[in-house]
Amino acid sequence: MTQHHDTPRRLRLGMVGGGQGAFIGGVHRIAARLDDHYELVAGAFASDPQRGRAAAAELHVAEERAYPDCRAMAEGERQRPDGIDVVAIVTPNHLHFDVARTFLEAGIHVICDKPMTTTLEDAQTLAALVERSGLFFGLTHNYSGYPLVRQARDMVAAGELGELRVVQVEYPQDWLSTRLEESGVKQAEWRTDPKRSGPAGCLGDIGTHAYHLARFVTGLQLESLAADMHTFVEGRALDDNVHMMLRFKGGARGMLWSSQVVPGNENGLKLRVYGSQGGLEWHQETPNRLIHSPLGEPPRILTRNGPGLGEAALAASRIPPGHPEGYLEAFAQLYVDFAEQIRARQAGREAAPLAANTPNVMDGVDGLRFITRALASSAAGGGWVDV
């Protein structure tokens, strides 16, 4: 785990969304508490104020800090001497923009789940607001918190793979193979609804994670793409399978596949990167192993907190080698790094270098540009479009 400066107190955290029955809200709360940098003290946990108050009671949030909506919360917390330092936004996608803007305008730092907004225009508006405000904005592309993902990034940056040639990333799941959205499953309902999810289904939900992971590890800029977005489940309003070809600046080529309708796949995010001097392979379902294949040599397996790792990977590990460490700890690592960046701003100092490289508002803009261009390509029959 990254060690940062001495801390006078926990950061006071607020949350919008994440009430009863929500998946990602609970993940954010665990991530925030794991390393003891935050204390949840306020929230607008549901669109219905009564359900919001019930969730607040379950989460030990004081009744007077259980707010009916984000505006009341931003105003109420701004006026308190012990008001929140930062808000976590864990609502369905269509609400992210309005909630983020409300808290930024109130002078409160923001942690937002992905995708950042549902339109590129809104993403650019948020980026301009963050720039003007000088406030912290963190985006929870949580796979960037895994120790061996950070190891892979450092190895690529150090030139260990040589000149990058091929980037293959895939994210298959099977949970939406049937019309689960019609069976009362909250997660399926909003993710397949264009009004709440935005114009992309599978692509916005998990394809953006695959794209961010490829960009995070390789550092490559996407130049153009050709996308085939398809809906296999009859009656579904949004895509549930995406195939895409990618061309990167500098000449590297790539492919991205994301699907939520492929039986036998649970959460199969995989990244393979190949250069002139070697390759790397990482699987999210076995995250404590990174396969490094130097050209002309036998492949070797790097393990979490094991020998041969660099500073960034070791700093993001909490427990000895061989003990599984995974999704929740990777999410928590982002919260640790976010805390250091927020405290640095509060103290008027530079953030510790190992904590500074986390997904931010510009990654959010990049993700929305990616979605927008993929939609354009697919609508035009899968032709190449510039990004």
Side-chain angles (χ1 to χ4, degrees), residues 29 51 60 83 102 142 149 154 171 182 205 208 281 295 306 313 369 371:
R29 289 191 291 270
R51 281 191 299 116
H60 312 290
T102 299
N142 54 295
V149 167
D154 282 358
Y171 200 155
E182 298 202 324
D205 191 22
T208 49
E281 184 169 342
L295 182 66
R369 188 178 290 114
I371 291 172

Side-chain angles (χ1 to χ4, degrees), residues 55-86:
E58 284 180 8
L59 296 168
H60 312 290
V61 168
E63 196 177 346
E64 71 274 11
R65 295 177 86 171
Y67 296 93
D69 57 55
C70 70
R71 282 185 170 67
M73 178 174 161
E75 186 57 29
E77 291 299 308
R78 190 173 63 84
Q79 292 181 3
R80 293 179 68 103
D82 62 348
I84 58 171
D85 298 292
V86 57

Side-chain angles (χ1 to χ4, degrees), residues 34-170:
L34 193 61
D35 301 291
D36 214 23
H37 290 287
Y38 301 81
E39 184 177 6
L40 182 67
V41 296
F45 297 105
S47 49
D48 170 59
Q50 192 173 345
R51 281 191 299 116
R53 283 194 298 274
E58 284 180 8
L59 296 168
H60 312 290
V61 168
E63 196 177 346
E64 71 274 11
R65 295 177 86 171
Y67 296 93
D69 57 55
C70 70
R71 282 185 170 67
M73 178 174 161
E75 186 57 29
E77 291 299 308
R78 190 173 63 84
Q79 292 181 3
R80 293 179 68 103
D82 62 348
I84 58 171
D85 298 292
V86 57
V87 66
I89 302 169
V90 294
T91 63
N93 303 346
H94 70 297
L95 300 171
H96 290 181
F97 172 69
D98 192 43
V99 178
R101 182 173 58 180
T102 299
F103 282 92
L104 290 168
E105 287 174 346
I108 293 166
H109 302 294
V110 171
I111 295 169
C112 185
D113 209 63
K114 60 96 280 296
M116 187 167 78
T117 59
T118 54
T119 71
L120 179 56
E121 186 184 18
D122 282 351
Q124 289 166 331
T125 300
L126 268 194
L129 184 52
V130 170
E131 176 77 20
R132 280 201 309 276
S133 69
L135 291 164
F136 173 77
F137 190 102
L139 191 68
T140 52
H141 275 298
N142 54 295
Y143 300 109
S144 63
Y146 279 102
L148 291 176
V149 167
R150 297 188 172 189
Q151 174 69 18
R153 177 193 177 99
D154 282 358
M155 290 171 73
V156 170
E160 291 190 42
L161 301 194
E163 189 179 336
L164 296 188
R165 293 174 173 172
V166 177
V167 181
Q168 300 279 111
V169 64
E170 64 180 59

Side-chain angles (χ1 to χ4, degrees), residues 23 175 186-193 197 200-201 205 238 260:
F23 159 65
W175 71 293
K186 187 174 173 179
Q187 299 304 316
E189 280 174 9
W190 77 257
R191 280 181 166 83
T192 55
D193 176 5
S197 187
D205 191 22
L238 293 171
Q260 293 174 312

